[in-house]
mmCIF file of all heavy atoms in Angstrom:
data_model
loop_
_atom_site.group_PDB
_atom_site.id
_atom_site.type_symbol
_atom_site.label_atom_id
_atom_site.label_comp_id
_atom_site.label_asym_id
_atom_site.label_seq_id
_atom_site.Cartn_x
_atom_site.Cartn_y
_atom_site.Cartn_z
ATOM 1 N N PRO A 105 -59.331 -51.162 -63.267
ATOM 2 C CA PRO A 105 -60.171 -49.997 -63.568
ATOM 3 C C PRO A 105 -60.540 -49.173 -62.347
ATOM 4 O O PRO A 105 -60.541 -47.935 -62.392
ATOM 5 C CB PRO A 105 -61.418 -50.597 -64.214
ATOM 6 C CG PRO A 105 -60.936 -51.898 -64.797
ATOM 7 C CD PRO A 105 -59.904 -52.394 -63.847
ATOM 8 N N THR A 106 -60.865 -49.814 -61.233
ATOM 9 C CA THR A 106 -61.275 -49.062 -60.039
ATOM 10 C C THR A 106 -60.171 -48.148 -59.557
ATOM 11 O O THR A 106 -60.404 -46.938 -59.319
ATOM 12 C CB THR A 106 -61.658 -50.051 -58.915
ATOM 13 O OG1 THR A 106 -62.711 -50.876 -59.348
ATOM 14 C CG2 THR A 106 -62.073 -49.289 -57.655
ATOM 15 N N TRP A 107 -58.977 -48.694 -59.409
ATOM 16 C CA TRP A 107 -57.876 -47.875 -58.935
ATOM 17 C C TRP A 107 -57.423 -46.866 -59.965
ATOM 18 O O TRP A 107 -56.973 -45.755 -59.618
ATOM 19 C CB TRP A 107 -56.700 -48.779 -58.529
ATOM 20 C CG TRP A 107 -57.088 -49.784 -57.460
ATOM 21 C CD1 TRP A 107 -57.050 -51.146 -57.580
ATOM 22 C CD2 TRP A 107 -57.580 -49.499 -56.167
ATOM 23 N NE1 TRP A 107 -57.481 -51.721 -56.434
ATOM 24 C CE2 TRP A 107 -57.825 -50.746 -55.531
ATOM 25 C CE3 TRP A 107 -57.867 -48.335 -55.466
ATOM 26 C CZ2 TRP A 107 -58.327 -50.823 -54.247
ATOM 27 C CZ3 TRP A 107 -58.366 -48.408 -54.166
ATOM 28 C CH2 TRP A 107 -58.573 -49.659 -53.575
ATOM 29 N N ASP A 108 -57.582 -47.194 -61.229
ATOM 30 C CA ASP A 108 -57.232 -46.282 -62.283
ATOM 31 C C ASP A 108 -58.142 -45.031 -62.220
ATOM 32 O O ASP A 108 -57.667 -43.904 -62.348
ATOM 33 C CB ASP A 108 -57.388 -46.972 -63.643
ATOM 34 C CG ASP A 108 -57.091 -46.019 -64.791
ATOM 35 O OD1 ASP A 108 -56.016 -45.390 -64.785
ATOM 36 O OD2 ASP A 108 -57.921 -45.888 -65.701
ATOM 37 N N ILE A 109 -59.416 -45.227 -61.996
ATOM 38 C CA ILE A 109 -60.354 -44.108 -61.940
ATOM 39 C C ILE A 109 -60.072 -43.240 -60.718
ATOM 40 O O ILE A 109 -60.104 -42.000 -60.790
ATOM 41 C CB ILE A 109 -61.825 -44.616 -61.918
ATOM 42 C CG1 ILE A 109 -62.181 -45.218 -63.251
ATOM 43 C CG2 ILE A 109 -62.761 -43.491 -61.563
ATOM 44 C CD1 ILE A 109 -62.064 -44.275 -64.429
ATOM 45 N N ILE A 110 -59.783 -43.858 -59.568
ATOM 46 C CA ILE A 110 -59.428 -43.099 -58.379
ATOM 47 C C ILE A 110 -58.212 -42.257 -58.634
ATOM 48 O O ILE A 110 -58.156 -41.047 -58.296
ATOM 49 C CB ILE A 110 -59.210 -44.048 -57.186
ATOM 50 C CG1 ILE A 110 -60.534 -44.687 -56.761
ATOM 51 C CG2 ILE A 110 -58.565 -43.312 -56.001
ATOM 52 C CD1 ILE A 110 -60.408 -45.729 -55.667
ATOM 53 N N LYS A 111 -57.183 -42.869 -59.250
ATOM 54 C CA LYS A 111 -55.963 -42.145 -59.546
ATOM 55 C C LYS A 111 -56.220 -40.984 -60.522
ATOM 56 O O LYS A 111 -55.790 -39.838 -60.268
ATOM 57 C CB LYS A 111 -54.944 -43.091 -60.162
ATOM 58 C CG LYS A 111 -53.648 -42.442 -60.647
ATOM 59 C CD LYS A 111 -52.921 -43.302 -61.648
ATOM 60 C CE LYS A 111 -53.656 -43.350 -62.982
ATOM 61 N NZ LYS A 111 -52.925 -44.071 -64.019
ATOM 62 N N GLU A 112 -56.950 -41.283 -61.628
ATOM 63 C CA GLU A 112 -57.194 -40.262 -62.636
ATOM 64 C C GLU A 112 -58.021 -39.094 -62.085
ATOM 65 O O GLU A 112 -57.762 -37.943 -62.398
ATOM 66 C CB GLU A 112 -57.900 -40.880 -63.828
ATOM 67 C CG GLU A 112 -57.046 -41.830 -64.660
ATOM 68 C CD GLU A 112 -55.976 -41.101 -65.408
ATOM 69 O OE1 GLU A 112 -56.211 -39.978 -65.886
ATOM 70 O OE2 GLU A 112 -54.862 -41.670 -65.510
ATOM 71 N N SER A 113 -59.007 -39.418 -61.265
ATOM 72 C CA SER A 113 -59.839 -38.345 -60.713
ATOM 73 C C SER A 113 -59.024 -37.436 -59.789
ATOM 74 O O SER A 113 -59.130 -36.213 -59.844
ATOM 75 C CB SER A 113 -61.010 -38.961 -59.912
ATOM 76 O OG SER A 113 -61.806 -39.740 -60.758
ATOM 77 N N TYR A 114 -58.193 -38.068 -58.959
ATOM 78 C CA TYR A 114 -57.364 -37.284 -58.057
ATOM 79 C C TYR A 114 -56.388 -36.405 -58.828
ATOM 80 O O TYR A 114 -56.246 -35.221 -58.532
ATOM 81 C CB TYR A 114 -56.601 -38.232 -57.109
ATOM 82 C CG TYR A 114 -55.526 -37.530 -56.340
ATOM 83 C CD1 TYR A 114 -55.818 -36.753 -55.234
ATOM 84 C CD2 TYR A 114 -54.175 -37.645 -56.717
ATOM 85 C CE1 TYR A 114 -54.812 -36.090 -54.530
ATOM 86 C CE2 TYR A 114 -53.158 -37.014 -56.013
ATOM 87 C CZ TYR A 114 -53.489 -36.223 -54.917
ATOM 88 O OH TYR A 114 -52.514 -35.574 -54.233
ATOM 89 N N LEU A 115 -55.704 -36.987 -59.824
ATOM 90 C CA LEU A 115 -54.718 -36.222 -60.568
ATOM 91 C C LEU A 115 -55.360 -35.090 -61.371
ATOM 92 O O LEU A 115 -54.818 -33.980 -61.473
ATOM 93 C CB LEU A 115 -53.935 -37.136 -61.510
ATOM 94 C CG LEU A 115 -52.963 -38.109 -60.828
ATOM 95 C CD1 LEU A 115 -52.328 -39.027 -61.879
ATOM 96 C CD2 LEU A 115 -51.863 -37.363 -60.085
ATOM 97 N N ALA A 116 -56.531 -35.356 -61.956
ATOM 98 C CA ALA A 116 -57.193 -34.335 -62.760
ATOM 99 C C ALA A 116 -57.602 -33.159 -61.859
ATOM 100 O O ALA A 116 -57.397 -31.987 -62.216
ATOM 101 C CB ALA A 116 -58.415 -34.914 -63.450
ATOM 102 N N PHE A 117 -58.213 -33.460 -60.725
ATOM 103 C CA PHE A 117 -58.616 -32.426 -59.802
ATOM 104 C C PHE A 117 -57.401 -31.629 -59.294
ATOM 105 O O PHE A 117 -57.393 -30.388 -59.255
ATOM 106 C CB PHE A 117 -59.398 -33.005 -58.631
ATOM 107 C CG PHE A 117 -59.795 -32.002 -57.579
ATOM 108 C CD1 PHE A 117 -60.815 -31.101 -57.806
ATOM 109 C CD2 PHE A 117 -59.117 -31.955 -56.364
ATOM 110 C CE1 PHE A 117 -61.157 -30.168 -56.832
ATOM 111 C CE2 PHE A 117 -59.457 -31.026 -55.401
ATOM 112 C CZ PHE A 117 -60.478 -30.120 -55.637
ATOM 113 N N THR A 118 -56.360 -32.354 -58.941
ATOM 114 C CA THR A 118 -55.139 -31.728 -58.408
ATOM 115 C C THR A 118 -54.505 -30.818 -59.440
ATOM 116 O O THR A 118 -54.157 -29.636 -59.152
ATOM 117 C CB THR A 118 -54.112 -32.808 -57.993
ATOM 118 O OG1 THR A 118 -54.673 -33.609 -56.952
ATOM 119 C CG2 THR A 118 -52.814 -32.199 -57.529
ATOM 120 N N ARG A 119 -54.350 -31.319 -60.651
ATOM 121 C CA ARG A 119 -53.684 -30.534 -61.684
ATOM 122 C C ARG A 119 -54.479 -29.260 -62.007
ATOM 123 O O ARG A 119 -53.903 -28.170 -62.168
ATOM 124 C CB ARG A 119 -53.508 -31.398 -62.940
ATOM 125 C CG ARG A 119 -52.567 -30.839 -63.986
ATOM 126 C CD ARG A 119 -51.122 -30.989 -63.560
ATOM 127 N NE ARG A 119 -50.752 -32.350 -63.188
ATOM 128 C CZ ARG A 119 -50.386 -33.288 -64.039
ATOM 129 N NH1 ARG A 119 -50.316 -33.004 -65.332
ATOM 130 N NH2 ARG A 119 -50.041 -34.500 -63.629
#
Side-chain angles (χ1 to χ4, degrees):
T106 300
W107 302 118
D108 178 53
I109 291 301
I110 291 175
K111 175 200 71 175
E112 290 291 324
S113 300
Y114 168 78
L115 289 176
F117 176 74
T118 298
R119 193 75 53 86

